[in-house]
């Protein structure tokens, strides 16, 4: 069956380090992947989108990569700050929006 | 301000008592959808609507109904709620449906936390 998965439920890192979150998809090829941020008790907020023919996308301290060979997208936050602590979701567009379960990132001072 | 609104934000009810969660967007978006979010399962789509009078089932439609009589509104109806429908619900909208190479992002409402006793 077609799946989009974020295998790490939680990630803890020290302030200033780079956080790397992983999103894997199986048995299909999405035309693009999106990354969202969700704070506790609030709706997801869109961050970045990357198309299948793009290797990398950047926005300020955020970087997303899309590897169609590995069937994987990586989401990086450089120079992480405690304010980056949140749950990050990846999503695809395979006829309807499907979301991974999310990775809860905690950045410690 | 462009936004998606949901009401109520919090609701505690009892098994079998019909309820409606309203969703409204002011961005003239064609596509609207409902999700439920449960710990460890992430966001799962309940129903979606491509446009007025066009609705379709998502991944977990059982026990839910929707309607799209106007472009801006997309209410979620639970005719006979059960405890397994206790969840956090999100409404979302986008300019166009997320199909093929269309890349319109989704805007989410603030969520409705529903508890069914």
């Amino acid at each position: 069956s077609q799946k989009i998965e974020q295998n790490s439920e939680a990630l803890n890192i020290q302030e200033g380090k780079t956080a790397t979150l992983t999103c894997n998809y199986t048995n299909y090829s999405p035309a693009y992947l999106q990354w969202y941020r969700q704070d506790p008790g609030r709706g997801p907020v869109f961050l970045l989108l990357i198309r299948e023919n793009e290797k990398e996308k950047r926005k300020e301290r955020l970087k997303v990569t899309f590897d169609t060979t590995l069937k994987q997208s990586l989401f990086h936050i450089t120079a992480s700050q405690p304010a980056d602590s949140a749950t990050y979701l990846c999503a695809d567009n395979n006829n309807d929006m499907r979301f991974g379960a999310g990775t809860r990132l905690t950045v410690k001072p | 301000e462009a936004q998606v609104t949901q009401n109520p934000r919090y609701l505690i009810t009892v098994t079998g008592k019909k309820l409606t969660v309203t969703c409204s967007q002011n961005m003239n978006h064609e596509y609207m959808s409902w999700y439920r979010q449960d710990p460890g399962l992430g966001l799962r789509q309940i129903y979606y609507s491509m446009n007025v009078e066009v609705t379709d089932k998502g991944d977990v439609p059982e026990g839910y109904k929707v309607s799209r009589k106007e472009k801006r509104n997309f209410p979620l109806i639970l005719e006979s709620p059960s405890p397994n429908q206790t969840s956090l619900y999100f409404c979302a909208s986008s300019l166009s449906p997320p199909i093929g190479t269309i890349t319109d992002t989704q805007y989410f409402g603030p969520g409705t936390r529903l508890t069914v006793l």
Side-chain angles (χ1 to χ4, degrees), chain A residues 31-32 34 36 38 41-46 49 51 89 92-101, chain B residues 9 31 35 37 40-43 45 48 59 90 98-106 108-110:
Chain A
Y32 62 82
Q34 301 184 8
Y36 288 78
Q38 186 176 23
R42 308 190 74 167
V45 175
F46 171 76
L49 178 150
R51 293 179 175 79
L89 309 170
D92 70 13
N93 75 318
N94 193 36
N95 288 328
D96 52 28
M97 288 292 291
R98 258 187 312 199
F99 287 81
Chain B
R9 294 290 314 279
Y31 183 84
Y35 297 88
Q37 188 173 38
L41 296 177
L43 283 161
Q45 193 175 54
Y48 62 93
D59 293 328
F90 289 101
I99 296 174
T101 58
I102 295 174
T103 59
D104 295 326
T105 59
Q106 292 212 44
F108 283 82

mmCIF file of all heavy atoms in Angstrom, chain A residues 31-32 34 36 38 41-46 49 51 89 92-101, chain B residues 9 31 35 37 40-43 45 48 59 90 98-106 108-110:
data_model
loop_
_atom_site.group_PDB
_atom_site.id
_atom_site.type_symbol
_atom_site.label_atom_id
_atom_site.label_comp_id
_atom_site.label_asym_id
_atom_site.label_seq_id
_atom_site.Cartn_x
_atom_site.Cartn_y
_atom_site.Cartn_z
ATOM 1 N N ALA A 31 4.126 14.005 -6.769
ATOM 2 C CA ALA A 31 4.628 15.091 -7.614
ATOM 3 C C ALA A 31 5.347 16.145 -6.775
ATOM 4 O O ALA A 31 6.216 16.851 -7.273
ATOM 5 C CB ALA A 31 3.481 15.732 -8.389
ATOM 6 N N TYR A 32 4.973 16.239 -5.512
ATOM 7 C CA TYR A 32 5.659 17.160 -4.615
ATOM 8 C C TYR A 32 5.394 16.743 -3.178
ATOM 9 O O TYR A 32 4.500 15.956 -2.897
ATOM 10 C CB TYR A 32 5.228 18.607 -4.854
ATOM 11 C CG TYR A 32 3.761 18.895 -4.606
ATOM 12 C CD1 TYR A 32 3.277 19.137 -3.327
ATOM 13 C CD2 TYR A 32 2.870 18.956 -5.667
ATOM 14 C CE1 TYR A 32 1.948 19.412 -3.107
ATOM 15 C CE2 TYR A 32 1.541 19.223 -5.452
ATOM 16 C CZ TYR A 32 1.090 19.446 -4.168
ATOM 17 O OH TYR A 32 -0.237 19.723 -3.958
ATOM 18 N N GLN A 34 5.187 18.521 0.836
ATOM 19 C CA GLN A 34 5.098 19.756 1.606
ATOM 20 C C GLN A 34 5.519 19.492 3.048
ATOM 21 O O GLN A 34 5.374 18.380 3.553
ATOM 22 C CB GLN A 34 3.658 20.288 1.615
ATOM 23 C CG GLN A 34 3.101 20.587 0.239
ATOM 24 C CD GLN A 34 1.715 21.204 0.313
ATOM 25 O OE1 GLN A 34 1.227 21.549 1.374
ATOM 26 N NE2 GLN A 34 1.087 21.345 -0.835
ATOM 27 N N TYR A 36 5.012 21.084 6.997
ATOM 28 C CA TYR A 36 4.211 21.968 7.837
ATOM 29 C C TYR A 36 4.781 21.953 9.249
ATOM 30 O O TYR A 36 5.351 20.967 9.699
ATOM 31 C CB TYR A 36 2.755 21.487 7.906
ATOM 32 C CG TYR A 36 1.961 21.686 6.647
ATOM 33 C CD1 TYR A 36 2.121 20.826 5.559
ATOM 34 C CD2 TYR A 36 1.031 22.715 6.535
ATOM 35 C CE1 TYR A 36 1.384 21.006 4.403
ATOM 36 C CE2 TYR A 36 0.290 22.898 5.387
ATOM 37 C CZ TYR A 36 0.471 22.036 4.325
ATOM 38 O OH TYR A 36 -0.265 22.205 3.179
ATOM 39 N N GLN A 38 3.473 22.410 13.245
ATOM 40 C CA GLN A 38 2.289 22.426 14.098
ATOM 41 C C GLN A 38 2.694 22.636 15.545
ATOM 42 O O GLN A 38 3.474 21.858 16.100
ATOM 43 C CB GLN A 38 1.490 21.127 13.964
ATOM 44 C CG GLN A 38 0.180 21.161 14.733
ATOM 45 C CD GLN A 38 -0.655 19.923 14.526
ATOM 46 O OE1 GLN A 38 -0.160 18.865 14.169
ATOM 47 N NE2 GLN A 38 -1.968 20.051 14.746
ATOM 48 N N GLY A 41 -1.972 22.209 20.085
ATOM 49 C CA GLY A 41 -3.319 22.752 20.111
ATOM 50 C C GLY A 41 -3.664 23.672 18.960
ATOM 51 O O GLY A 41 -4.718 24.320 18.983
ATOM 52 N N ARG A 42 -2.815 23.719 17.941
ATOM 53 C CA ARG A 42 -3.062 24.615 16.811
ATOM 54 C C ARG A 42 -3.001 23.843 15.497
ATOM 55 O O ARG A 42 -2.494 22.725 15.436
ATOM 56 C CB ARG A 42 -2.049 25.743 16.805
ATOM 57 C CG ARG A 42 -1.979 26.461 18.141
ATOM 58 C CD ARG A 42 -1.176 27.699 18.075
ATOM 59 N NE ARG A 42 -1.902 28.762 17.367
ATOM 60 C CZ ARG A 42 -1.531 30.025 17.388
ATOM 61 N NH1 ARG A 42 -0.469 30.395 18.051
ATOM 62 N NH2 ARG A 42 -2.209 30.932 16.720
ATOM 63 N N GLY A 43 -3.526 24.472 14.456
ATOM 64 C CA GLY A 43 -3.499 23.836 13.145
ATOM 65 C C GLY A 43 -2.136 23.925 12.504
ATOM 66 O O GLY A 43 -1.353 24.820 12.803
ATOM 67 N N PRO A 44 -1.821 22.987 11.617
ATOM 68 C CA PRO A 44 -0.545 23.026 10.894
ATOM 69 C C PRO A 44 -0.422 24.303 10.060
ATOM 70 O O PRO A 44 -1.417 24.813 9.535
ATOM 71 C CB PRO A 44 -0.598 21.791 10.008
ATOM 72 C CG PRO A 44 -1.591 20.890 10.653
ATOM 73 C CD PRO A 44 -2.606 21.806 11.271
ATOM 74 N N VAL A 45 0.809 24.770 9.933
ATOM 75 C CA VAL A 45 1.102 25.945 9.123
ATOM 76 C C VAL A 45 2.132 25.565 8.070
ATOM 77 O O VAL A 45 3.168 24.974 8.403
ATOM 78 C CB VAL A 45 1.637 27.100 10.004
ATOM 79 C CG1 VAL A 45 2.066 28.282 9.129
ATOM 80 C CG2 VAL A 45 0.587 27.540 11.004
ATOM 81 N N PHE A 46 1.845 25.905 6.826
ATOM 82 C CA PHE A 46 2.726 25.554 5.724
ATOM 83 C C PHE A 46 4.086 26.233 5.842
ATOM 84 O O PHE A 46 4.176 27.426 6.175
ATOM 85 C CB PHE A 46 2.067 25.957 4.405
ATOM 86 C CG PHE A 46 2.969 25.843 3.217
ATOM 87 C CD1 PHE A 46 3.249 24.611 2.673
ATOM 88 C CD2 PHE A 46 3.546 26.969 2.654
ATOM 89 C CE1 PHE A 46 4.085 24.503 1.579
ATOM 90 C CE2 PHE A 46 4.387 26.873 1.566
ATOM 91 C CZ PHE A 46 4.657 25.629 1.026
ATOM 92 N N LEU A 49 7.510 23.756 0.168
ATOM 93 C CA LEU A 49 7.092 22.755 -0.797
ATOM 94 C C LEU A 49 8.259 22.463 -1.716
ATOM 95 O O LEU A 49 8.997 23.367 -2.111
ATOM 96 C CB LEU A 49 5.908 23.296 -1.607
ATOM 97 C CG LEU A 49 5.326 22.427 -2.722
ATOM 98 C CD1 LEU A 49 3.845 22.738 -2.868
ATOM 99 C CD2 LEU A 49 6.044 22.646 -4.042
ATOM 100 N N ARG A 51 9.169 20.138 -5.308
ATOM 101 C CA ARG A 51 8.668 19.308 -6.394
ATOM 102 C C ARG A 51 9.613 18.148 -6.653
ATOM 103 O O ARG A 51 10.799 18.211 -6.316
ATOM 104 C CB ARG A 51 8.484 20.145 -7.650
ATOM 105 C CG ARG A 51 7.396 21.191 -7.549
ATOM 106 C CD ARG A 51 7.284 22.020 -8.822
ATOM 107 N NE ARG A 51 6.167 22.931 -8.769
ATOM 108 C CZ ARG A 51 6.164 24.086 -8.110
ATOM 109 N NH1 ARG A 51 7.225 24.462 -7.452
ATOM 110 N NH2 ARG A 51 5.088 24.850 -8.125
ATOM 111 N N LEU A 89 5.396 18.189 10.144
ATOM 112 C CA LEU A 89 4.669 17.192 9.354
ATOM 113 C C LEU A 89 5.067 17.285 7.892
ATOM 114 O O LEU A 89 5.215 18.383 7.365
ATOM 115 C CB LEU A 89 3.156 17.445 9.443
ATOM 116 C CG LEU A 89 2.529 17.599 10.816
ATOM 117 C CD1 LEU A 89 1.098 18.094 10.689
ATOM 118 C CD2 LEU A 89 2.555 16.279 11.559
ATOM 119 N N ASP A 92 1.908 14.748 1.236
ATOM 120 C CA ASP A 92 2.015 14.569 -0.213
ATOM 121 C C ASP A 92 0.713 14.954 -0.879
ATOM 122 O O ASP A 92 -0.213 15.413 -0.223
ATOM 123 C CB ASP A 92 2.386 13.124 -0.552
ATOM 124 C CG ASP A 92 1.250 12.154 -0.262
ATOM 125 O OD1 ASP A 92 0.103 12.580 -0.029
ATOM 126 O OD2 ASP A 92 1.510 10.949 -0.258
ATOM 127 N N ASN A 93 0.606 14.729 -2.159
ATOM 128 C CA ASN A 93 -0.571 15.162 -2.904
ATOM 129 C C ASN A 93 -1.127 14.052 -3.782
ATOM 130 O O ASN A 93 -1.649 14.311 -4.851
ATOM 131 C CB ASN A 93 -0.220 16.339 -3.808
ATOM 132 C CG ASN A 93 0.562 15.877 -5.024
ATOM 133 O OD1 ASN A 93 1.445 15.036 -4.902
ATOM 134 N ND2 ASN A 93 0.240 16.384 -6.189
ATOM 135 N N ASN A 94 -1.047 12.812 -3.335
ATOM 136 C CA ASN A 94 -1.467 11.700 -4.168
ATOM 137 C C ASN A 94 -2.988 11.655 -4.258
ATOM 138 O O ASN A 94 -3.636 10.870 -3.577
ATOM 139 C CB ASN A 94 -0.912 10.401 -3.593
ATOM 140 C CG ASN A 94 -1.046 9.260 -4.557
ATOM 141 O OD1 ASN A 94 -0.904 9.445 -5.756
ATOM 142 N ND2 ASN A 94 -1.322 8.086 -4.051
ATOM 143 N N ASN A 95 -3.572 12.535 -5.056
ATOM 144 C CA ASN A 95 -5.023 12.697 -5.246
ATOM 145 C C ASN A 95 -5.721 13.340 -4.067
ATOM 146 O O ASN A 95 -6.743 13.966 -4.213
ATOM 147 C CB ASN A 95 -5.714 11.376 -5.593
ATOM 148 C CG ASN A 95 -5.381 10.945 -7.002
ATOM 149 O OD1 ASN A 95 -5.182 11.783 -7.864
ATOM 150 N ND2 ASN A 95 -5.293 9.674 -7.229
ATOM 151 N N ASP A 96 -5.256 13.133 -2.890
ATOM 152 C CA ASP A 96 -5.714 13.923 -1.756
ATOM 153 C C ASP A 96 -4.511 14.135 -0.862
ATOM 154 O O ASP A 96 -3.473 13.523 -1.058
ATOM 155 C CB ASP A 96 -6.860 13.249 -1.006
ATOM 156 C CG ASP A 96 -6.525 11.812 -0.622
ATOM 157 O OD1 ASP A 96 -5.342 11.485 -0.442
ATOM 158 O OD2 ASP A 96 -7.457 11.021 -0.511
ATOM 159 N N MET A 97 -4.657 15.011 0.088
ATOM 160 C CA MET A 97 -3.513 15.312 0.942
ATOM 161 C C MET A 97 -3.358 14.194 1.970
ATOM 162 O O MET A 97 -4.322 13.809 2.621
ATOM 163 C CB MET A 97 -3.721 16.626 1.664
ATOM 164 C CG MET A 97 -3.615 17.834 0.775
ATOM 165 S SD MET A 97 -1.954 18.122 0.155
ATOM 166 C CE MET A 97 -1.122 18.609 1.651
ATOM 167 N N ARG A 98 -2.139 13.685 2.089
ATOM 168 C CA ARG A 98 -1.852 12.709 3.128
ATOM 169 C C ARG A 98 -0.674 13.196 3.934
ATOM 170 O O ARG A 98 0.310 13.663 3.365
ATOM 171 C CB ARG A 98 -1.548 11.350 2.523
ATOM 172 C CG ARG A 98 -2.707 10.390 2.626
ATOM 173 C CD ARG A 98 -2.315 9.061 2.196
ATOM 174 N NE ARG A 98 -1.612 9.145 0.933
ATOM 175 C CZ ARG A 98 -1.474 8.113 0.145
ATOM 176 N NH1 ARG A 98 -2.011 6.971 0.470
ATOM 177 N NH2 ARG A 98 -0.796 8.219 -0.971
ATOM 178 N N PHE A 99 -0.772 13.023 5.235
ATOM 179 C CA PHE A 99 0.244 13.529 6.134
ATOM 180 C C PHE A 99 0.958 12.395 6.836
ATOM 181 O O PHE A 99 0.360 11.367 7.171
ATOM 182 C CB PHE A 99 -0.398 14.426 7.203
ATOM 183 C CG PHE A 99 -0.845 15.756 6.684
ATOM 184 C CD1 PHE A 99 -2.053 15.872 6.020
ATOM 185 C CD2 PHE A 99 -0.067 16.890 6.855
ATOM 186 C CE1 PHE A 99 -2.473 17.089 5.524
ATOM 187 C CE2 PHE A 99 -0.483 18.109 6.364
ATOM 188 C CZ PHE A 99 -1.684 18.217 5.704
ATOM 189 N N GLY A 100 2.241 12.602 7.091
ATOM 190 C CA GLY A 100 2.956 11.721 7.988
ATOM 191 C C GLY A 100 2.500 11.980 9.413
ATOM 192 O O GLY A 100 1.801 12.973 9.686
ATOM 193 N N ALA A 101 2.903 11.111 10.327
ATOM 194 C CA ALA A 101 2.467 11.230 11.721
ATOM 195 C C ALA A 101 3.150 12.379 12.436
ATOM 196 O O ALA A 101 2.703 12.795 13.507
ATOM 197 C CB ALA A 101 2.705 9.925 12.466
ATOM 198 N N ARG B 9 -14.623 25.461 19.409
ATOM 199 C CA ARG B 9 -13.235 25.064 19.578
ATOM 200 C C ARG B 9 -13.129 23.854 20.496
ATOM 201 O O ARG B 9 -12.226 23.029 20.348
ATOM 202 C CB ARG B 9 -12.419 26.213 20.160
ATOM 203 C CG ARG B 9 -12.280 27.423 19.239
ATOM 204 C CD ARG B 9 -11.366 27.103 18.039
ATOM 205 N NE ARG B 9 -10.158 26.419 18.445
ATOM 206 C CZ ARG B 9 -9.100 27.022 18.945
ATOM 207 N NH1 ARG B 9 -9.083 28.339 19.103
ATOM 208 N NH2 ARG B 9 -8.022 26.328 19.287
ATOM 209 N N TYR B 31 -11.265 24.223 -2.676
ATOM 210 C CA TYR B 31 -11.057 22.930 -2.019
ATOM 211 C C TYR B 31 -11.127 23.101 -0.509
ATOM 212 O O TYR B 31 -10.475 23.980 0.069
ATOM 213 C CB TYR B 31 -9.695 22.377 -2.424
ATOM 214 C CG TYR B 31 -9.365 21.012 -1.888
ATOM 215 C CD1 TYR B 31 -9.799 19.864 -2.528
ATOM 216 C CD2 TYR B 31 -8.585 20.874 -0.740
ATOM 217 C CE1 TYR B 31 -9.491 18.604 -2.040
ATOM 218 C CE2 TYR B 31 -8.272 19.621 -0.242
ATOM 219 C CZ TYR B 31 -8.725 18.485 -0.905
ATOM 220 O OH TYR B 31 -8.406 17.250 -0.419
ATOM 221 N N TYR B 35 -10.057 16.883 8.665
ATOM 222 C CA TYR B 35 -9.121 15.893 9.169
ATOM 223 C C TYR B 35 -9.411 15.642 10.637
ATOM 224 O O TYR B 35 -9.911 16.506 11.340
ATOM 225 C CB TYR B 35 -7.673 16.397 9.058
ATOM 226 C CG TYR B 35 -7.188 16.661 7.658
ATOM 227 C CD1 TYR B 35 -7.388 17.907 7.066
ATOM 228 C CD2 TYR B 35 -6.493 15.698 6.953
ATOM 229 C CE1 TYR B 35 -6.930 18.158 5.786
ATOM 230 C CE2 TYR B 35 -6.026 15.947 5.673
ATOM 231 C CZ TYR B 35 -6.247 17.180 5.106
ATOM 232 O OH TYR B 35 -5.786 17.430 3.845
ATOM 233 N N GLN B 37 -7.108 14.254 14.027
ATOM 234 C CA GLN B 37 -5.734 14.010 14.435
ATOM 235 C C GLN B 37 -5.727 13.269 15.751
ATOM 236 O O GLN B 37 -6.300 13.752 16.740
ATOM 237 C CB GLN B 37 -4.950 15.313 14.558
ATOM 238 C CG GLN B 37 -3.465 15.106 14.801
ATOM 239 C CD GLN B 37 -2.691 16.414 14.742
ATOM 240 O OE1 GLN B 37 -3.167 17.456 15.190
ATOM 241 N NE2 GLN B 37 -1.480 16.364 14.192
ATOM 242 N N GLY B 40 -0.073 9.527 17.530
ATOM 243 C CA GLY B 40 0.581 8.419 16.851
ATOM 244 C C GLY B 40 0.052 8.120 15.467
ATOM 245 O O GLY B 40 0.671 7.371 14.716
ATOM 246 N N LEU B 41 -1.089 8.699 15.111
ATOM 247 C CA LEU B 41 -1.690 8.421 13.798
ATOM 248 C C LEU B 41 -1.592 9.606 12.859
ATOM 249 O O LEU B 41 -1.837 9.484 11.657
ATOM 250 C CB LEU B 41 -3.155 8.014 13.963
ATOM 251 C CG LEU B 41 -3.399 6.719 14.731
ATOM 252 C CD1 LEU B 41 -4.889 6.473 14.887
ATOM 253 C CD2 LEU B 41 -2.731 5.539 14.014
ATOM 254 N N GLY B 42 -1.286 10.752 13.383
ATOM 255 C CA GLY B 42 -1.182 11.923 12.535
ATOM 256 C C GLY B 42 -2.530 12.398 12.039
ATOM 257 O O GLY B 42 -3.581 12.048 12.584
ATOM 258 N N LEU B 43 -2.502 13.199 11.007
ATOM 259 C CA LEU B 43 -3.719 13.741 10.399
ATOM 260 C C LEU B 43 -4.293 12.742 9.401
ATOM 261 O O LEU B 43 -3.594 12.280 8.508
ATOM 262 C CB LEU B 43 -3.403 15.042 9.662
ATOM 263 C CG LEU B 43 -3.211 16.284 10.516
ATOM 264 C CD1 LEU B 43 -2.465 17.346 9.737
ATOM 265 C CD2 LEU B 43 -4.553 16.811 10.972
ATOM 266 N N GLN B 45 -7.556 12.180 6.720
ATOM 267 C CA GLN B 45 -8.614 12.921 6.057
ATOM 268 C C GLN B 45 -9.957 12.203 6.179
ATOM 269 O O GLN B 45 -10.063 11.003 5.937
ATOM 270 C CB GLN B 45 -8.267 13.118 4.585
ATOM 271 C CG GLN B 45 -9.150 14.134 3.885
ATOM 272 C CD GLN B 45 -8.703 14.400 2.474
ATOM 273 O OE1 GLN B 45 -8.546 13.471 1.680
ATOM 274 N NE2 GLN B 45 -8.489 15.659 2.140
ATOM 275 N N TYR B 48 -13.545 15.430 1.846
ATOM 276 C CA TYR B 48 -13.070 16.618 1.172
ATOM 277 C C TYR B 48 -14.096 17.071 0.140
ATOM 278 O O TYR B 48 -15.002 16.311 -0.237
ATOM 279 C CB TYR B 48 -11.696 16.402 0.533
ATOM 280 C CG TYR B 48 -11.630 15.341 -0.541
ATOM 281 C CD1 TYR B 48 -11.800 15.666 -1.878
ATOM 282 C CD2 TYR B 48 -11.368 14.019 -0.198
ATOM 283 C CE1 TYR B 48 -11.724 14.691 -2.865
ATOM 284 C CE2 TYR B 48 -11.294 13.036 -1.175
ATOM 285 C CZ TYR B 48 -11.462 13.375 -2.494
ATOM 286 O OH TYR B 48 -11.388 12.407 -3.468
ATOM 287 N N ASP B 59 -9.969 9.110 3.952
ATOM 288 C CA ASP B 59 -9.506 7.817 4.470
ATOM 289 C C ASP B 59 -10.382 7.242 5.575
ATOM 290 O O ASP B 59 -10.470 6.027 5.732
ATOM 291 C CB ASP B 59 -8.075 7.953 4.999
ATOM 292 C CG ASP B 59 -7.089 8.229 3.890
ATOM 293 O OD1 ASP B 59 -7.318 7.734 2.767
ATOM 294 O OD2 ASP B 59 -6.089 8.936 4.144
ATOM 295 N N PHE B 90 -9.616 19.153 12.411
ATOM 296 C CA PHE B 90 -9.161 20.330 11.684
ATOM 297 C C PHE B 90 -9.874 20.439 10.350
ATOM 298 O O PHE B 90 -10.009 19.453 9.624
ATOM 299 C CB PHE B 90 -7.655 20.272 11.414
ATOM 300 C CG PHE B 90 -6.817 20.458 12.629
ATOM 301 C CD1 PHE B 90 -6.243 19.369 13.260
ATOM 302 C CD2 PHE B 90 -6.594 21.733 13.145
ATOM 303 C CE1 PHE B 90 -5.457 19.542 14.395
ATOM 304 C CE2 PHE B 90 -5.816 21.911 14.274
ATOM 305 C CZ PHE B 90 -5.254 20.818 14.898
ATOM 306 N N PRO B 98 -5.480 19.454 -4.282
ATOM 307 C CA PRO B 98 -4.083 18.986 -4.345
ATOM 308 C C PRO B 98 -3.937 17.786 -5.267
ATOM 309 O O PRO B 98 -3.699 16.667 -4.830
ATOM 310 C CB PRO B 98 -3.783 18.621 -2.893
ATOM 311 C CG PRO B 98 -5.104 18.176 -2.358
ATOM 312 C CD PRO B 98 -6.128 19.050 -3.037
ATOM 313 N N ILE B 99 -4.074 18.006 -6.563
ATOM 314 C CA ILE B 99 -4.025 16.921 -7.532
ATOM 315 C C ILE B 99 -2.896 17.175 -8.507
ATOM 316 O O ILE B 99 -2.666 18.313 -8.924
ATOM 317 C CB ILE B 99 -5.348 16.844 -8.328
ATOM 318 C CG1 ILE B 99 -6.502 16.494 -7.392
ATOM 319 C CG2 ILE B 99 -5.254 15.801 -9.437
ATOM 320 C CD1 ILE B 99 -7.837 16.532 -8.066
ATOM 321 N N GLY B 100 -2.202 16.104 -8.871
ATOM 322 C CA GLY B 100 -1.160 16.216 -9.882
ATOM 323 C C GLY B 100 -0.107 17.210 -9.465
ATOM 324 O O GLY B 100 0.466 17.093 -8.388
ATOM 325 N N THR B 101 0.145 18.189 -10.295
ATOM 326 C CA THR B 101 1.216 19.139 -10.019
ATOM 327 C C THR B 101 0.701 20.440 -9.405
ATOM 328 O O THR B 101 1.464 21.382 -9.230
ATOM 329 C CB THR B 101 1.987 19.467 -11.308
ATOM 330 O OG1 THR B 101 1.054 19.992 -12.267
ATOM 331 C CG2 THR B 101 2.661 18.229 -11.877
ATOM 332 N N ILE B 102 -0.584 20.492 -9.087
ATOM 333 C CA ILE B 102 -1.121 21.702 -8.449
ATOM 334 C C ILE B 102 -0.512 21.819 -7.056
ATOM 335 O O ILE B 102 -0.536 20.870 -6.279
ATOM 336 C CB ILE B 102 -2.659 21.643 -8.354
ATOM 337 C CG1 ILE B 102 -3.259 21.653 -9.756
ATOM 338 C CG2 ILE B 102 -3.186 22.824 -7.546
ATOM 339 C CD1 ILE B 102 -4.751 21.454 -9.779
ATOM 340 N N THR B 103 0.048 22.968 -6.747
ATOM 341 C CA THR B 103 0.815 23.084 -5.513
ATOM 342 C C THR B 103 0.244 24.088 -4.539
ATOM 343 O O THR B 103 0.957 24.613 -3.703
ATOM 344 C CB THR B 103 2.264 23.485 -5.845
ATOM 345 O OG1 THR B 103 2.229 24.741 -6.553
ATOM 346 C CG2 THR B 103 2.954 22.430 -6.676
ATOM 347 N N ASP B 104 -1.032 24.366 -4.624
ATOM 348 C CA ASP B 104 -1.620 25.294 -3.652
ATOM 349 C C ASP B 104 -1.540 24.706 -2.255
ATOM 350 O O ASP B 104 -1.923 23.557 -2.028
ATOM 351 C CB ASP B 104 -3.085 25.564 -3.988
ATOM 352 C CG ASP B 104 -3.225 26.297 -5.313
ATOM 353 O OD1 ASP B 104 -2.344 27.117 -5.627
ATOM 354 O OD2 ASP B 104 -4.202 26.039 -6.023
ATOM 355 N N THR B 105 -1.069 25.478 -1.317
ATOM 356 C CA THR B 105 -0.929 24.972 0.044
ATOM 357 C C THR B 105 -2.252 25.048 0.771
ATOM 358 O O THR B 105 -3.147 25.805 0.405
ATOM 359 C CB THR B 105 0.108 25.786 0.812
ATOM 360 O OG1 THR B 105 -0.321 27.154 0.835
ATOM 361 C CG2 THR B 105 1.460 25.696 0.143
ATOM 362 N N GLN B 106 -2.348 24.258 1.813
ATOM 363 C CA GLN B 106 -3.575 24.231 2.595
ATOM 364 C C GLN B 106 -3.462 25.145 3.802
ATOM 365 O O GLN B 106 -2.413 25.253 4.431
ATOM 366 C CB GLN B 106 -3.866 22.810 3.057
ATOM 367 C CG GLN B 106 -4.222 21.888 1.911
ATOM 368 C CD GLN B 106 -5.195 20.814 2.311
ATOM 369 O OE1 GLN B 106 -6.171 21.043 2.995
ATOM 370 N NE2 GLN B 106 -4.906 19.605 1.868
ATOM 371 N N PHE B 108 -5.098 25.814 7.480
ATOM 372 C CA PHE B 108 -5.841 25.059 8.477
ATOM 373 C C PHE B 108 -6.548 25.982 9.461
ATOM 374 O O PHE B 108 -6.058 27.066 9.793
ATOM 375 C CB PHE B 108 -4.900 24.148 9.255
ATOM 376 C CG PHE B 108 -4.511 22.914 8.487
ATOM 377 C CD1 PHE B 108 -3.496 22.966 7.549
ATOM 378 C CD2 PHE B 108 -5.161 21.720 8.710
ATOM 379 C CE1 PHE B 108 -3.134 21.834 6.830
ATOM 380 C CE2 PHE B 108 -4.805 20.579 8.002
ATOM 381 C CZ PHE B 108 -3.791 20.640 7.062
ATOM 382 N N GLY B 109 -7.688 25.509 9.944
ATOM 383 C CA GLY B 109 -8.363 26.185 11.031
ATOM 384 C C GLY B 109 -7.673 25.893 12.350
ATOM 385 O O GLY B 109 -6.720 25.119 12.408
ATOM 386 N N PRO B 110 -8.162 26.482 13.441
ATOM 387 C CA PRO B 110 -7.512 26.343 14.740
ATOM 388 C C PRO B 110 -7.774 25.014 15.427
ATOM 389 O O PRO B 110 -7.124 24.696 16.418
ATOM 390 C CB PRO B 110 -8.110 27.496 15.555
ATOM 391 C CG PRO B 110 -9.461 27.690 14.949
ATOM 392 C CD PRO B 110 -9.301 27.410 13.496
#
